[in-house]
Amino acid sequence: MALDYFAPGVYVEEVDRGSRPIEGVSLSVAGFIGFTEDVRGDAELFQPMMITNWDQYREFFAKPGSDGFTDYDAYLPFAVQGWFLNGGGRCWVTSIGTQLPGSAAPDPEEAGTLLPTFSGRPSLKFSLKLPEDSGDAPALPSGDARIQVAIFESTPKPVDDDEEPPLNSGEFFTVVVRQGEEQLEMYEHLTMNPDVDTAVADYVVTALEESEFVAVANLSQSGQALSRRPANGAFEITPPPQISTPERFPRDLQGQRDDRTGMQGIFEIDEVAMIACPDLMRAYQNGLLDLDQVHGVMEMMVSLCENSFPGPAYRMAVLDPPPVKIGKNDNTAVPPEQQRPQHVAQWLNEFNRRSMFGAIYYPWIKVANPRNGGRPIMVPPCGHMMGIWCRTDESRGVFKAPANDTPRGVIGLAYETNMREQELLNPKGINCIRNFANYNRGFKVWGARTLVEPDNVQWRYISVRRLISYIEKSIEIGTQWVVFEPNDQDLWARITRTVSNFLERLWREGALFGASPSEAFYVKCDGELNTNETIMLGRLYVEVGVCPVRPAEFVIFRISQWAPNQ
């Protein structure tokens, strides 16, 4: 606003009087930690990578042309696929390895990248060259980018002006070895013909013996050089997998927050609002972690969800029950179908960690395993359940309990819980996945509770916890404009209108209980809260109260006979 006017005229000034609308945040972004088949492209080991669909997952965490799963049945690919099948959108994936810790190193002769011919048959196999003094470390240049081999068209070698040039049959090609944008090596005038005249071209295997970075093998056995020629294109050379030791694995899984690695690193991604580590169960089943170590990782997941300083806590951890019988077989893993409801109840008593920011689903689910001819495999349910959370958020809203819905991609359950058995689990906060075949309703998620203490009823339901987190996080982000504004009655009125408009919109969508806005929420920002002392300290207090809707978990019809008056 201008302070002085010196010349006659009309002055137009903009004055900000209205309230600024609060836009709701998204709580539908998931984070996954586990084993993958490969780590390539822009993805890095132990670093979170954003994924938006299953094809993109295969692009970053599967070998070229692969289905995305692993030969050792890692659970992460099943969880991510279940996330997308059930309506999940954007997620972040952290790979903690491409082989189980302690696995034997693969045969160097079997490693490498196949280059096909134009007809799709194998032509050449490129692998990273190993130095003579080491049998396991590739001779890589500095930098993190992968080595690539590019195939281009080429011609026969040039001849003198007075000589007749040889016929260009199309069999000749160029190999360029590069790392990122840097060209490391280039070999021109190559052919697949081992008997070629060296004055015309060079045999590719002989020429690349001089390479410092790659080794090449000829896989084609018969045919003309043109038909055996590799197709044009760029191909990434897969390095030997980094296999950690069982002793180092817990440290790699935990990671470092500053480096954004491992479990702690994915909590540095602000938009991630639900966390799962399905391969915690694979590590347990393969003896890489004992039950106490599994409990330690679960405790860390829940604690990191509870601690989101300086903002409000808004993340939730979806935990999987380890297939174990407490007190039997020294608490070692058993097949998931052998874990009965009483066993998972005993395990939760052993774990003994309660939090409104955690949730558990039982039993494990049966899905098709592409690596075993589509035969079923039992996997942890966390990925499929978080997909249902996202689907419910989009179709109904974050206030709707993610239950009484059909999990997609599920062909069976490790154990079919009945109503009496669920009466044991439900009060403990263990959400059951039930088979309602007798009612022709299929498989249903039949629980929506958090892991909070049973007597803490106000935070009992997942939908209530996530709704309050949604309100808190949306208000925190949507009122940043208030900081450093003059702390007076005008600001109090503006912020009251801003928050009230946001909550009224939620009430109209059905997220808050009440016949009118005044019954559903209140917003208080006045002189009673903001005294002279608090104003002098630079503080502005706003009190908000909401009445969230709660799921109708128990539906009771009271029926009696009625005799009308005659």
Side-chain angles (χ1 to χ4, degrees):
M1 179 179 294
L3 298 179
D4 297 298
Y5 305 99
F6 296 102
V10 177
Y11 295 86
V12 179
E13 299 170 348
E14 292 186 1
V15 180
D16 189 3
R17 297 292 188 190
S19 61
R20 303 188 184 186
I22 295 176
E23 184 177 359
V25 299
S26 173
L27 295 184
S28 303
V29 180
F32 293 95
I33 304 99
F35 298 108
T36 60
E37 184 186 31
D38 199 1
V39 179
R40 61 192 183 97
D42 294 332
E44 297 181 27
L45 195 65
F46 304 118
Q47 298 277 351
M49 182 71 187
M50 189 180 73
I51 303 297
T52 59
N53 55 58
W54 179 246
D55 289 338
Q56 199 174 68
Y57 172 85
R58 294 193 295 118
E59 176 185 350
F60 293 121
F61 296 106
K63 296 179 180 178
S66 170
D67 54 18
F69 297 86
T70 65
D71 293 332
Y72 54 93
D73 292 335
Y75 292 137
L76 176 69
F78 294 101
V80 175
Q81 187 184 59
W83 160 262
F84 289 121
L85 283 176
N86 284 277
R90 188 168 65 254
C91 68
W92 291 76
V93 175
T94 296
S95 174
I96 54 176
T98 57
Q99 295 287 337
L100 291 175
S103 300
D107 188 349
E109 297 183 357
E110 298 180 359
T113 299
L114 299 181
L115 273 62
T117 64
F118 285 102
S119 61
R121 293 179 299 174
S123 175
L124 297 173
K125 182 176 74 171
F126 280 86
S127 57
L128 296 177
K129 182 168 287 186
L130 302 177
E132 295 181 358
D133 59 347
S134 173
D136 56 4
L140 297 177
S142 60
D144 297 328
R146 290 276 188 100
I147 296 292
Q148 284 189 334
V149 169
I151 306 297
F152 299 100
E153 297 282 352
S154 188
T155 60
K157 290 182 179 180
V159 297
D160 295 335
D161 294 338
D162 57 346
E163 296 183 17
E164 183 178 354
L167 176 67
N168 187 355
S169 62
E171 67 184 82
F172 307 104
F173 58 95
T174 296
V175 172
V176 176
V177 181
R178 60 193 181 194
Q179 183 185 38
E181 300 298 327
E182 179 185 2
Q183 178 175 304
L184 304 176
E185 297 172 338
M186 183 171 69
Y187 301 90
E188 299 180 289
H189 317 299
L190 303 178
T191 179
M192 296 293 291
N193 182 8
D195 301 322
V196 67
D197 184 354
T198 55
V200 176
D202 295 321
Y203 178 44
V204 59
V205 176
T206 303
L208 266 75
E209 287 179 351
E210 303 175 359
S211 173
E212 297 182 18
F213 306 107
V214 296
V216 63
N218 187 354
L219 302 182
S220 60
Q221 301 296 326
S222 61
Q224 299 296 321
L226 177 59
S227 64
R228 296 158 56 191
R229 177 196 185 283
N232 296 336
F235 306 88
E236 188 175 81
I237 308 303
T238 305
Q242 177 180 336
I243 303 176
S244 64
T245 63
E247 294 75 19
R248 181 181 174 82
F249 173 67
R251 190 180 355 165
D252 291 338
L253 176 60
Q254 179 176 344
Q256 294 290 333
R257 201 151 196 171
D258 293 340
D259 298 333
R260 289 197 173 190
T261 59
M263 179 78 67
Q264 296 194 67
I266 207 164
F267 280 86
E268 290 298 299
I269 309 299
D270 290 337
E271 67 174 0
V272 171
M274 51 186 92
I275 307 287
C277 183
D279 277 322
L280 183 61
M281 298 298 102
R282 171 54 66 203
Y284 172 63
Q285 289 178 303
N286 285 66
L288 301 173
L289 300 175
D290 59 31
L291 192 59
D292 288 334
Q293 290 173 301
V294 170
H295 291 169
V297 175
M298 289 182 172
E299 159 64 28
M300 181 179 65
M301 292 174 64
V302 173
S303 296
L304 289 174
C305 288
E306 292 174 335
N307 181 21
S308 292
F309 182 82
Y314 60 96
R315 296 185 176 100
M316 291 194 67
V318 181
L319 308 179
D320 300 301
V324 65
K325 297 180 180 180
I326 298 298
K328 302 290 185 181
N329 301 324
D330 297 327
N331 295 343
T332 55
V334 299
E337 55 270 21
Q338 293 185 13
Q339 187 183 41
R340 299 294 186 262
Q342 61 268 29
H343 300 147
V344 71
Q346 293 171 358
W347 164 76
L348 186 57
N349 290 337
E350 179 82 7
F351 180 40
N352 200 27
R353 177 62 158 96
R354 291 291 174 174
S355 174
M356 68 180 74
F357 295 96
I360 288 181
Y361 289 89
Y362 169 84
W364 285 28
I365 55 179
K366 184 187 298 184
V367 300
N369 185 2
R371 287 297 172 94
N372 190 23
R375 297 177 181 87
I377 181 177
M378 298 295 179
V379 301
C382 57
H384 294 69
M385 298 302 104
M386 293 199 303
I388 291 179
W389 287 20
C390 183
R391 185 169 81 205
T392 304
D393 289 353
E394 294 180 357
S395 62
R396 297 288 299 276
V398 70
F399 58 88
K400 165 66 173 65
N404 198 6
D405 212 338
T406 301
R408 301 169 186 166
V410 176
I411 60 177
L413 303 175
Y415 182 83
E416 295 191 359
T417 311
N418 60 37
M419 184 174 180
R420 293 301 183 189
E421 290 169 327
Q422 189 172 7
E423 288 179 343
L424 168 67
L425 302 181
N426 197 63
K428 295 180 177 292
I430 302 173
N431 302 312
C432 288
I433 308 169
R434 298 272 303 274
N435 183 1
F436 290 96
N438 293 337
Y439 298 92
N440 295 321
R441 300 187 65 230
F443 302 109
K444 296 290 181 183
V445 180
W446 211 242
R449 294 196 175 194
T450 69
L451 268 180
V452 76
E453 296 85 353
D455 59 345
N456 194 350
V457 295
Q458 65 176 346
W459 299 112
R460 172 175 291 175
Y461 298 109
I462 294 171
S463 56
V464 174
R465 175 61 270 174
R466 297 184 71 232
L467 173 62
I468 299 302
S469 295
Y470 171 81
I471 294 173
E472 292 173 346
K473 196 66 177 176
S474 299
I475 291 177
E476 178 203 10
I477 296 177
T479 57
Q480 293 294 317
W481 60 270
V482 177
V483 181
F484 296 115
E485 289 291 310
N487 193 354
D488 56 12
Q489 288 86 348
D490 180 62
L491 180 65
W492 302 348
R494 292 178 63 192
I495 196 171
T496 300
R497 288 194 303 269
T498 297
V499 178
S500 296
N501 291 341
F502 170 67
L503 296 177
E504 184 173 350
R505 188 167 71 248
L506 287 180
W507 169 74
R508 294 187 184 280
E509 293 173 356
L512 303 179
F513 181 84
S516 64
S518 60
E519 294 181 3
F521 66 87
Y522 73 87
V523 181
K524 182 179 181 180
C525 183
D526 55 19
E528 183 179 352
L529 292 176
N530 299 282
T531 63
N532 291 331
E533 291 78 7
T534 61
I535 293 175
M536 291 297 294
L537 292 173
R539 299 175 183 176
L540 170 64
Y541 290 99
V542 184
E543 186 176 301
V544 179
V546 296
C547 183
V549 293
R550 300 177 184 274
E553 187 178 19
F554 308 102
V555 181
I556 301 100
F557 288 92
R558 293 175 174 171
I559 302 174
S560 61
Q561 297 187 47
W562 176 66
N565 295 327
Q566 300 297 328

